[in-house]
Amino acid sequence: PLNDEHGGETREAAISPDGKFIVTSGPGGDDDPYGKKVFLYIFEAASGTIVNRIGPLDDNVQDIVWSPDGRYLAAGLVQSGVRLWHYPYTAPPLSDTNYAANTPVSDIAFNAAGQLFAAGGDGSIRVYDTELAPITKATLPHDAVPLSLAIAPDGKSLAIGYAKEARIDILSLPAFTKIARVDTRFAGFGDLGEVAWSADGETLYASGTYYDKPLDKFQIYAFDKQGIAPARVLKNLGGNVLAMAQMPKGGPAFVSADPSIGILEGADIF
């Protein structure tokens, strides 16, 4: 529902693995002129029909994602931890609110086995099973806040981009030991906090608030050889990249503050 204030805003979105449904988050609009009641809306992609409304939630949504098999829907909240719904998403969610006060769950992702990874504002990565029971709480090798995480397609490594710092680490899974630090020495300020893998796991992509000062452009970078090779510049943008998402083939999709949206495949931008 729309209103004259925040009602109807779309703040986060995700597409189901089969492409048939889209989930969005935002204020509901009904009897809520200031946008404090947050809902998830599930739409049928082909028709745009709302098939489910979940909520209201007790916090704004920072990230939302479906599991690879579509059986689970998860949300990372701004200040209230993680929520997990089982298909058909009508029962109350499973919850983990055991996060430091006033810290967001900045990014979440499922691996192929259905385990949920959550990047916390306390500087940790947590892993849950399909009942949201904790499996691991890993302390990162670098004392900073993870902004995004990307699980490699083979499930054996994890790339982490950080907030307010142009650093990217690659860790082994499930041990969370450091494999490599991506060479980002060219970025002297800002961050490269948005990371994603190519579908074959051979290339790591990154972007963020760092920009090329002489060009006055934000850039998307590719690091070949599983993140070890020097950076390649793929695209100059007028606004920073807000999110990237791995695709079934080729490189990831991205959206930036230009605004622009595209898919990366090698050095080609569509």
Side-chain angles (χ1 to χ4, degrees):
L2 300 175
N3 62 25
D4 294 333
E5 297 291 340
H6 297 282
E9 289 182 354
T10 297
R11 296 177 178 174
E12 296 292 333
I15 302 173
S16 64
D18 61 9
K20 294 181 178 180
F21 298 96
I22 297 170
V23 60
T24 68
S25 72
D30 46 332
D31 301 321
D32 182 29
Y34 300 105
K36 294 182 179 180
K37 295 180 181 178
V38 178
F39 293 84
L40 302 184
Y41 292 89
I42 299 179
F43 297 83
E44 187 178 66
S47 67
T49 301
I50 296 175
V51 297
N52 195 359
R53 184 171 90 154
I54 303 171
L57 307 181
D58 50 6
D59 195 4
N60 285 307
V61 174
Q62 186 82 9
D63 191 24
I64 186 169
V65 66
W66 255 295
S67 63
D69 60 6
R71 295 175 60 192
Y72 308 101
L73 181 63
L77 305 185
V78 173
Q79 295 183 5
S80 303
V82 175
R83 304 292 184 271
L84 179 69
W85 292 266
H86 290 196
Y87 181 84
Y89 325 120
T90 53
L94 302 171
S95 301
D96 182 6
T97 60
N98 189 27
Y99 282 77
N102 301 317
T103 60
V105 175
S106 57
D107 198 18
I108 54 176
F110 283 98
N111 66 9
Q115 294 175 335
L116 179 64
F117 288 62
D122 59 357
S124 69
I125 301 293
R126 306 186 194 204
V127 184
Y128 303 91
D129 67 14
T130 56
E131 298 298 322
L132 208 64
I135 298 173
T136 304
K137 181 180 179 181
T139 301
L140 300 179
H142 180 58
D143 185 18
V145 176
L147 185 63
S148 73
L149 51 84
I151 302 169
D154 65 5
K156 295 181 180 180
S157 60
L158 177 73
I160 300 172
Y162 296 93
K164 301 180 181 180
E165 187 172 355
R167 176 183 176 126
I168 304 168
D169 287 324
I170 302 175
L171 310 181
S172 68
L173 293 176
F176 286 92
T177 56
K178 186 175 177 180
I179 296 175
R181 177 179 175 182
V182 177
D183 187 358
T184 59
R185 288 174 292 180
F186 61 88
F189 61 92
D191 68 60
L192 294 172
E194 297 296 333
V195 294
W197 292 99
S198 60
D200 61 9
E202 288 301 311
T203 302
L204 179 66
Y205 300 86
S207 191
T209 61
Y210 169 75
Y211 66 97
D212 186 298
K213 285 187 175 181
L215 293 176
D216 194 28
K217 293 290 185 180
F218 297 89
Q219 296 178 318
I220 300 175
Y221 301 92
F223 302 87
D224 299 320
K225 298 182 179 179
Q226 299 178 346
I228 305 302
R232 292 186 290 115
V233 178
L234 291 185
K235 182 68 174 175
N236 293 317
L237 298 168
N240 64 294
V241 168
L242 303 173
M244 291 198 287
Q246 184 176 313
M247 300 293 284
K249 297 180 180 179
F254 72 91
V255 61
S256 72
D258 289 10
S260 63
I261 187 170
I263 298 175
L264 305 170
E265 290 191 335
D268 298 323
I269 309 295
F270 298 95

